[in-house]
Every structure is written in C-alpha cells, then in structure tokens.
Amino acid sequence: MKSEALLTEKDAAKYLCVSRVTLARSRCYGKPEGPPYVRLGRTIRYLVDDLQRFVETRRVGESA
C-alpha cells in the first residue's frame, strides 16, 4: 500500500466544497451516499484518492 496523507473532516469538507455537517450526515445516515472514510478510534479521516474517486463517480456529462 502506498503512503498517503489522511485529511481531517474539516479538510475533506473543504476539498469537496461541502460543510462538515454534510459529511457527518452522510456517514450517519448514508443519505446522500458519502465518500469512504477511515475510523481511527473516534477520529474520522479521509484519503485524498478516495475523495477524488468519489467526485469522479458523480460527474455528469462530458467536457469538450
């Protein structure tokens, strides 16, 4: 497994341009489906590659 930095919930929310509340709700309720995350005890972290894949799978249409 390659070494990759983990983002905090705050940084992941900023990366996705959503609020921390939106990320928390997606984890708790699964609606809307949120990005994969890592739980370390009570700490939540996000991998940048997972966030990028999450964005790419929600892309609508194609750019010219």
Side-chain angles (χ1 to χ4, degrees):
M1 181 173 161
K2 75 177 187 176
S3 175
E4 186 176 352
L6 296 170
L7 297 181
T8 64
E9 182 180 34
K10 180 180 177 181
D11 291 336
K14 189 174 182 178
Y15 182 91
L16 295 173
C17 301
V18 298
S19 71
R20 291 172 68 183
V21 172
T22 298
L23 284 179
R25 285 182 180 156
S26 71
R27 287 193 312 272
C28 292
Y29 304 114
K31 295 181 182 179
E33 181 185 330
Y37 61 94
V38 177
R39 181 181 296 276
L40 302 168
R42 295 192 313 176
T43 303
I44 301 297
R45 295 290 185 260
Y46 294 85
L47 294 167
V48 174
D49 283 350
D50 286 345
L51 296 177
Q52 186 60 39
R53 276 191 294 278
F54 176 75
V55 169
E56 289 170 1
T57 61
R58 277 140 186 85
R59 188 173 186 175
V60 178
E62 297 209 1
S63 59

